[in-house]
Amino acid sequence: MPSPSTTPDRELFSEERSAEVVAASFAGTADPRLQTVLTSLVRHLHDFVKDVELTEDEWGAAIGFLTATGQACTPTRQEFILLSDVLGLSMLVETVNHRTGGTATESTVLGPFHMVDSPVRELGDDIALDGKGVSCLVSGQVTGPDGDPLAGATVDVWQTNEDGFYDVQQPDVQPAGNLRGLFTADDEGRFWFRSVVPRYYPIPDDGPVGRLLAATGRHPYRPAHLHVIAAAVGHRPVTTHVFVADSPYLDSDAVFGVKESLVREVPEVDDAARAAQVGLANPFRTLTFDLSLLRD
Ligand code: BEZ
Ligand code: FE
């Protein structure tokens, strides 16, 4: 039995100090931020295991679930981001990184269906290429934080069709570029285009994330929304949605993306002259969404 004075100067793994022992193994990490993130991650994971007294079967099931999540990923499907979405992590990261203090349009999740090269459109164009849905005039103004109009701002939009699918999910069914477009605002920062009233739809639920939703009694639906990325020189771009006020699922979005400030009514306009002016059949619906960007 060694005397205390000859006890080696080392700390081996123990239940009580498990996180500290593992954190010490990161002492040689060259990147200080990586060390901070890993240390915190390990602390929270170890706390979690102790909190629920995780069984070996549960640990095995978790590994199996994460493996299946990875295996469900393809070049066109990112099941890990979907997992992050339904756990509210994507929204939390988005919110923490884009605090506005109430001074600008709030952001929400990008989602997996944005096209980097959105089809370039002219103001007034009709983006509903499949002829389905309830016609809607979408318009708004992009301004800076003081209400100054941002001439030439870009407004990138995308939404599902009436059947609840994005064009990229149905390449053999929908025309390419259906219900998406990249617009350039006019000299007053105003934009307008023809589309259809957005529809609610389910996120992809035929994989491990869908099984998680089912196991927890959750539905896979997102409330009706139009995605928008607005950008202007000298300002921070915003990635957001506008939600339809009377849509189902506003209070139970599968990915927690709804913010009250982003919900809008979509009233009907019954005005034959106005309908002819904008190129829609009378009556039609209108969705107005002004966006305010913070300065860089
Ligand atoms: C979307 O709104 O397009 C979306 C967001 C998160 C997960 C799936 C879809
Ligand atoms: Fe969406």
Side-chain angles (χ1 to χ4, degrees):
M1 187 77 173
S3 68
S5 61
T6 61
T7 301
D9 182 17
R10 63 180 169 227
E11 181 173 17
L12 300 180
F13 191 92
S14 65
E15 180 176 333
E16 296 70 27
R17 301 232 335 129
S18 62
E20 288 79 2
V21 171
V22 176
S25 76
F26 300 140
T29 309
D31 178 346
R33 174 66 182 167
L34 178 60
Q35 185 175 359
T36 301
V37 170
L38 282 175
T39 300
S40 178
L41 179 66
V42 164
R43 180 164 50 83
H44 285 91
L45 285 174
H46 285 224
D47 279 351
F48 155 70
V49 169
K50 292 171 189 177
D51 183 32
V52 301
E53 299 245 345
L54 198 71
T55 68
E56 286 172 306
D57 281 353
E58 289 164 345
W59 178 84
I63 296 293
F65 176 78
L66 292 175
T67 303
T69 300
Q71 287 167 341
C73 293
T74 69
T76 56
R77 177 164 181 157
Q78 231 304 353
E79 195 78 359
F80 265 114
I81 295 184
L82 205 58
L83 178 59
S84 160
D85 294 340
V86 302
L87 294 179
L89 284 180
S90 307
M91 265 312 281
L92 185 58
V93 172
E94 177 73 39
T95 304
V96 164
N97 283 275
H98 298 275
R99 296 186 186 109
T100 66
T103 58
T105 300
E106 290 192 285
S107 59
T108 187
V109 280
L110 174 67
F113 300 118
H114 177 242
M115 262 177 62
V116 177
D117 290 315
S118 253
V120 173
R121 311 275 190 203
E122 300 295 322
L123 292 173
D125 275 358
D126 191 349
I127 64 170
L129 309 180
D130 63 355
K132 295 180 176 178
V134 177
S135 293
C136 183
L137 179 69
V138 181
S139 62
Q141 185 181 28
V142 187
T143 62
D146 309 319
D148 42 314
L150 296 179
T154 55
V155 180
D156 191 356
V157 298
W158 65 107
Q159 67 181 88
T160 63
N161 76 348
E162 190 59 11
D163 301 324
F165 294 102
Y166 289 92
D167 60 344
V168 290
Q169 293 176 285
Q170 293 188 309
D172 302 328
V173 177
Q174 296 188 41
N178 190 32
L179 291 161
R180 59 177 81 230
L182 179 63
F183 293 89
T184 301
D186 70 7
D187 288 349
E188 292 178 342
R190 295 187 191 282
F191 63 92
W192 64 94
F193 59 92
R194 288 169 289 160
S195 184
V196 291
V197 177
R199 229 191 96 87
Y200 62 87
Y201 65 88
I203 62 170
D205 67 342
D206 56 348
V209 170
R211 292 199 288 280
L212 175 74
L213 292 177
T216 53
R218 284 172 56 182
H219 67 72
Y221 286 93
R222 298 215 61 208
H225 59 272
L226 169 74
H227 292 258
V228 184
I229 299 176
V233 175
H235 293 75
R236 285 191 229 164
V238 67
T239 299
T240 191
H241 306 354
V242 53
F243 292 93
V244 176
D246 63 359
S247 172
Y249 308 115
L250 276 175
D251 55 1
S252 62
D253 183 356
V255 306
F256 306 96
V258 180
K259 291 180 175 171
E260 213 54 66
S261 69
L262 304 177
V263 180
R264 296 287 181 281
E265 302 286 341
V266 186
E268 184 180 274
V269 170
D270 188 354
D271 179 339
R274 178 75 180 133
Q277 191 185 33
V278 299
L280 289 174
N282 194 49
F284 59 97
R285 307 272 292 274
T286 56
L287 174 53
T288 308
F289 188 49
D290 295 331
L291 294 119
S292 157
L293 306 187
L294 293 172
R295 268 186 276 279
D296 267 338

